[in-house]
């Protein structure tokens, strides 16, 4: 591309800004730090989560920017930062939905986001929690996002549910439960699901593909 050399200074600056704006495209252009992103995982447990919760979405994470580039902080194996485009590509059909705190512009200040990221970094490398227990020693995807918002802002994104409150009637769900817990199911154990976070009244959808 050849840049115009005969434009006045003001005209050249306007041209440069237009060019930079044209280069800002794709998912990153729509996102802000603190956004929550959802997709349908291709993992072996994804269908069980979908059937137990009645939701299309089985995996989620939180957006942070590192050196100006978007990453998703997520609990997989292990808890880590994943480049946004890689995270999206892992989901079925490249589909994703981004939900944002309704008053994010007033609440998610640089100071608050810094506290959230400091807490997130303290969890890096933790193993994934296959049993969905409420512990910081092992963690699952909706748990890390819920705890980041609750511990830093005091905002609960969805209600925790006892295991017995999920739909456990599906054979695939039952098989996964036996695989994880054996014959004695911890039916009173409470957990937070991607579906519950997605449905939170505190959030609104700002982007999807």
């Amino acid at each position: 591309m050849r840049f115009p050399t005969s434009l006045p200074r003001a005209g050249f600056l306007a041209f440069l800004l237009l060019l930079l704006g044209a280069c800002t495209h794709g998912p990153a252009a729509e996102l802000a730090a603190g956004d929550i992103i959802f997709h349908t995982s291709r993992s072996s447990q994804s269908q069980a989560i979908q059937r137990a919760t009645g939701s299309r979405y089985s995996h989620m994470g939180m957006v942070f920017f590192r050196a100006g580039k978007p990453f998703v902080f997520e609990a997989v194996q292990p808890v880590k930062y994943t480049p946004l485009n890689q995270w999206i590509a892992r989901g079925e059909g490249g589909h994703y939905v981004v939900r944002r705190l309704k008053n994010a512009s007033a609440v998610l200040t640089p100071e608050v986001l810094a506290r959230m990221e400091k807490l997130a970094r303290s969890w890096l490398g933790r193993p994934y929690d296959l049993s969905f227990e409420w512990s910081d020693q092992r963690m699952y995807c909706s748990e890390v996002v819920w705890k980041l918002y609750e511990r830093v802002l005091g905002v609960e994104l969805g209600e925790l549910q006892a295991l017995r409150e999920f739909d456990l009637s599906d054979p695939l769900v039952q098989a996964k439960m036996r695989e994880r817990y054996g014959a004695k199911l911890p039916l009173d154990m409470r957990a937070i699901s991607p579906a519950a976070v997605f449905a939170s009244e505190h959030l609104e959808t700002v982007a999807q593909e």
Side-chain angles (χ1 to χ4, degrees):
M1 176 183 292
R2 293 187 62 188
F3 290 88
T5 57
S6 59
L7 285 174
R9 178 178 175 81
F12 180 75
L13 288 176
F15 172 81
L16 184 58
L17 289 173
L18 179 64
L19 180 64
L20 290 174
C23 292
T24 304
H25 61 280
E30 305 169 319
L31 299 186
D35 284 351
I36 302 168
I37 188 167
F38 300 80
H39 72 193
T40 305
S41 171
R42 298 176 186 176
S43 71
S44 61
Q45 69 177 1
S46 179
Q47 285 191 21
I49 292 173
Q50 290 174 272
R51 296 180 190 184
T53 62
S55 173
R56 175 180 182 178
Y57 304 107
S58 58
H59 187 56
M60 57 182 289
M62 186 168 171
V63 175
F64 287 108
F65 285 80
R66 310 181 79 191
K69 296 180 180 180
F71 285 77
V72 178
F73 179 74
E74 61 172 340
V76 282
Q77 180 54 36
V79 175
K80 65 177 183 175
Y81 287 103
T82 300
L84 175 65
N85 287 338
Q86 290 183 22
W87 192 92
I88 290 173
R90 278 204 340 250
E92 284 191 3
H95 172 69
Y96 64 89
V97 175
V98 180
R99 302 269 284 165
R100 180 178 295 164
L101 201 65
K102 290 179 179 178
N103 58 344
S105 59
V107 174
L108 294 180
T109 64
E111 293 77 16
V112 166
L113 289 169
R115 288 164 56 201
M116 281 184 163
E117 187 152 21
K118 181 179 179 181
L119 180 57
R121 286 198 303 269
S122 74
W123 294 334
L124 287 173
R126 301 283 172 92
Y128 183 77
D129 188 358
L130 289 169
S131 300
F132 306 117
E133 297 173 0
W134 204 245
S135 163
D136 289 356
Q137 301 309 307
R138 297 181 300 163
M139 309 187 83
Y140 56 94
C141 69
S142 41
E143 177 187 12
V144 295
V145 174
W146 195 96
K147 286 180 175 179
L148 283 170
Y149 268 87
E150 193 278 330
R151 293 185 183 178
V152 176
L153 282 175
V155 175
E156 296 185 1
L157 298 179
E159 295 184 8
L160 277 70
Q161 297 170 270
L163 204 58
R164 66 173 70 252
E165 296 178 62
F166 295 99
D167 184 355
L168 309 180
S169 62
D170 188 277
L172 178 61
V173 176
Q174 293 176 4
K176 278 294 178 185
M177 297 277 283
R178 288 193 297 271
E179 176 186 307
R180 302 288 168 81
Y181 306 111
K184 189 174 182 180
L185 304 182
L187 294 175
D188 292 320
M189 183 185 75
R190 299 177 68 79
I192 187 71
S193 68
V197 176
F198 189 95
S200 171
E201 63 182 4
H202 298 296
L203 302 176
E204 60 184 350
T205 297
V206 295
Q208 59 182 312
E209 181 66 42

